[in-house]
Amino acid sequence: QPQLADSGGGSVQAGGSMRLTCKGSGRSISTKCLGWFRQAPGKDGEAVALITMNDNIYYADSVKGRFTIVRDNVENTLYLQMNNLQPDDTATYYCAVRRFEPACALQYVPSFTTHSQGTQVIVSA
């Protein structure tokens, strides 16, 4: 199972953009089911984006059209490009990799076996 290390968070004004990076180490991420989820203070984890083993991609309705998940197999890195950020996007963001369970589906991303340490994204109005 690859280890994951994320980076790229910070503060931005509403309407701005940010790119999160999730570097895999130890094992390749090229054939893994991967995703991003976020957690705001006092709230449960919310799935944001998923890329399957076959590179099918799914997004939460709240980010569709604004966020893009990309897997770079050469760099063994997963990205989340976030555009037109809004205050409701403020949260700690995690990348995650599924091992055997649960199913490779968007709603299960917060439950994936391994996730990064998290990077904070703050969007001000």
Side-chain angles (χ1 to χ4, degrees), residues 33-52:
C33 175
L34 299 159
W36 290 93
F37 71 96
R38 64 189 181 187
Q39 189 163 20
K43 294 188 177 181
D44 292 335
E46 176 192 14
V48 172
L50 173 82
I51 183 166
T52 71

Side-chain angles (χ1 to χ4, degrees), residues 58-85:
Y58 303 89
Y59 297 102
D61 287 344
S62 58
V63 306
K64 204 172 291 183
R66 300 189 297 123
F67 289 14
T68 304
I69 186 171
V70 176
R71 175 182 16 222
D72 185 330
N73 293 331
V74 174
E75 297 294 328
N76 209 40
T77 299
L78 184 72
Y79 299 99
L80 185 68
Q81 176 66 42
M82 306 184 294
N83 297 329
N84 191 23
L85 283 160

Side-chain angles (χ1 to χ4, degrees), residues 94-108:
Y94 302 83
C95 57
V97 57
R98 170 187 173 272
R99 192 173 183 183
F100 301 116
E101 297 181 326
C104 182
L106 180 63
Q107 66 264 37
Y108 297 128

Side-chain angles (χ1 to χ4, degrees), residues 4-19:
L4 305 174
D6 56 29
S7 61
S11 298
V12 67
Q13 288 191 325
S17 297
M18 193 177 288
R19 188 177 77 162

